[in-house]
Amino acid sequence: MVNLTIDKLPVSVKEGTTLMEAAESIGIHIPHLCYWKGLNEIAACRVCVVELEGRDHLITACNNKVEEGMVVYTNSPKVRLDRRLTVQLILSQHDYRCATCVRSGNCSLQKLANDLDILEVPFKEEYEEQEWNMDFPLIRDAGKCIKCMRCVQVCDKIQGMKVWDIINTGKRTNVGLREGMSIEDVNCALCGQCITHCPVGALRERDDLNELV
């Protein structure tokens, strides 16, 4: 077993346990957006950063393993400031008109922004644009995508369809359809797993309720 301290509380966990899992084992929730245990542990969003005593830089809790004698702080002033800045940056590339979003009230990003008391975004807002066939049963709003990569991972690792892929590199990295194909030609099974795993409203099903008479 590995012994460490998280937020002044002692914890003993098995070797190989992540800091996030260790914190959860004693009832401490570390906020995150991209993390999904066993599926997406790539620290893409960097919301789950924590402070490690003796180290200048913050580290991500989702993919860093516990070590003997660690002293970790999950909600220190340094952590809160960095986390708030990260979420503000994410919001600057996310269409946050929540009132007209199907995920309003059930959105991980919205909840996180509220928890961090974010009332304004001090960065230039710049949304991704992507044409989409709104008649297709699966709808993607590129302006809401936060590049968490969950859809890519669940479609690849669990469903085996490989509909989604990472396109471009660096700050232009984005999520798109495999090989630049259209959604009609990419053989999507319409299983809905990408919608279920999306933490925001970037993916949704087409709503035909207004067609009912």
Side-chain angles (χ1 to χ4, degrees):
M1 301 294 283
V2 179
N3 300 294
L4 65 155
T5 302
I6 301 179
D7 292 345
K8 299 182 179 181
L9 297 176
V11 57
S12 182
V13 293
K14 293 181 179 179
E15 185 177 353
T17 301
T18 65
L19 289 171
M20 182 174 289
E21 292 170 331
E24 292 285 355
S25 73
I26 55 173
I28 297 175
H29 175 70
I30 299 176
H32 53 272
L33 287 173
C34 67
Y35 172 77
W36 195 287
K37 182 175 172 58
L39 177 69
N40 202 43
E41 301 175 18
I42 59 176
C45 69
R46 297 198 62 81
V47 169
C48 69
V49 291
V50 296
E51 184 175 359
L52 178 60
E53 193 170 278
R55 184 174 297 187
D56 292 334
H57 300 293
L58 301 178
I59 61 174
T60 48
C62 71
N63 63 348
N64 275 286
K65 307 294 179 62
V66 297
E67 295 180 9
E68 185 68 29
M70 273 183 165
V71 178
V72 179
Y73 302 98
T74 70
N75 199 37
S76 66
K78 185 176 182 179
V79 167
R80 290 198 302 272
L81 180 62
D82 187 272
R83 189 173 289 152
R84 197 169 192 272
L85 179 63
T86 295
V87 174
Q88 286 177 319
L89 284 167
I90 292 173
L91 286 169
S92 73
Q93 298 180 32
H94 171 80
D95 180 358
Y96 52 91
R97 290 176 293 179
C98 299
T100 56
C101 179
V102 295
R103 290 294 296 272
S104 183
N106 185 33
C107 171
S108 298
L109 180 57
Q110 183 186 47
K111 182 181 185 306
L112 187 53
N114 289 337
D115 290 345
L116 293 170
D117 195 29
I118 295 176
L119 301 177
E120 61 180 357
V121 177
F123 305 107
K124 179 182 177 181
E125 297 171 23
E126 195 171 345
Y127 310 143
E128 185 72 26
E129 294 184 4
Q130 187 180 83
E131 292 186 4
W132 196 265
N133 179 6
M134 302 303 288
D135 291 326
F136 196 76
L138 170 66
I139 304 297
R140 180 172 190 264
D141 185 344
K144 292 185 181 295
C145 179
I146 61 171
K147 307 173 183 64
C148 69
M149 312 302 175
R150 282 189 184 183
C151 60
V152 177
Q153 301 283 20
V154 71
C155 193
D156 183 3
K157 294 181 179 179
I158 295 181
Q159 300 305 105
M161 299 301 295
K162 302 182 186 298
V163 169
W164 307 104
D165 200 0
I166 299 171
I167 57 177
N168 300 323
T169 58
K171 68 177 183 179
R172 296 176 61 248
T173 298
N174 200 5
V175 175
L177 294 164
R178 183 184 77 240
E179 299 175 358
M181 300 174 69
S182 67
I183 187 62
E184 297 89 351
D185 298 328
V186 79
N187 294 325
C188 175
L190 295 174
C191 65
Q193 287 300 311
C194 58
I195 297 174
T196 300
H197 285 73
C198 181
V200 292
L203 292 166
R204 70 179 191 273
E205 65 275 14
R206 189 187 67 210
D207 188 351
D208 293 333
L209 287 178
N210 289 331
E211 302 299 320
L212 296 177
V213 293

